[in-house]
Amino acid sequence: MPIDLSQLKIMLVEDDLAMRNLIKQLLQAFEVGRIEEFNNAQDALREITESRPDIVIADWMMEPMDGLAFARNIRILKNKIVRTVPIIMLTGHTERRRVEQARDSGVNEYLAKPVSASAMYARLQSVIERPRAFIDTRTYHGPDRRRKQITLPEGMEDRRGRAGDRKGGPTEGIVFEISDDE
């Protein structure tokens, strides 16, 4: 079933005018309510707290601030609402190490160029319908990097010290997320 994007405000940060126009056309075709465009991350970062977008779509390769630095800066903002905004990273680089860099910088979703309408819609749908918990620690600020859902086996504990218990203990039925690598 299609999702209603008419009430969303999306911040689009892309330095290439042709790519920015293409993404904007896709978003308009999806009937996104409001699209704010920026041709560099520094201007977008200055405006993000006032703007309070629902989703940020940003290119990785920009100057003078790249998309990773932009994402990291968003994740440490004092405004807790803006700090947790979903970020979709656009890039032409799909190597595993790059995907991991983006994930570790606080990016929610990764979208490889050339961008297709179906891939863009899938990323939007993902951040709306399957939001990940926000993790705020001394060393990491961003969406939970783990994706695969599992139930902990009896006797195992998660990071918070909650034990799995198949016999009806306090965590019975709780689903924990874990990355494909873990």
Side-chain angles (χ1 to χ4, degrees), residues 72-140:
R72 285 190 300 267
N73 276 286
I74 290 171
R75 296 304 184 215
I76 61 171
L77 290 170
K78 289 186 176 156
N79 183 310
K80 290 184 178 188
I81 294 171
V82 177
R83 182 168 71 205
T84 62
V85 66
I87 302 171
I88 300 172
M89 181 67 62
L90 299 171
T91 183
H93 302 283
T94 58
E95 301 88 4
R96 181 183 182 107
R97 69 177 176 81
R98 297 236 187 198
V99 173
E100 290 170 351
Q101 279 181 296
R103 177 201 66 194
D104 293 345
S105 295
V107 169
N108 296 70
E109 292 291 334
Y110 196 82
L111 184 56
K113 295 177 184 178
V115 176
S116 71
S118 61
M120 175 61 78
Y121 191 81
R123 297 319 182 281
L124 292 169
Q125 189 173 30
S126 177
V127 298
I128 293 168
E129 293 182 347
R130 293 177 302 280
R132 290 187 275 158
F134 193 83
I135 307 297
D136 207 6
T137 68
R138 283 184 294 111
T139 58
Y140 176 74

Side-chain angles (χ1 to χ4, degrees), residues 58-73:
D59 185 35
W60 181 327
M61 304 302 277
M62 295 184 286
E63 292 291 334
M65 180 189 295
D66 69 19
L68 292 185
F70 179 56
R72 285 190 300 267
N73 276 286

Side-chain angles (χ1 to χ4, degrees), residues 128-159:
I128 293 168
E129 293 182 347
R130 293 177 302 280
R132 290 187 275 158
F134 193 83
I135 307 297
D136 207 6
T137 68
R138 283 184 294 111
T139 58
Y140 176 74
H141 311 278
D144 192 333
R145 296 177 281 196
R146 300 167 298 170
R147 291 184 177 265
K148 188 186 253 182
Q149 294 188 356
I150 64 165
T151 302
L152 287 176
E154 185 176 343
M156 284 189 68
E157 293 183 351
D158 73 353
R159 290 185 270 179

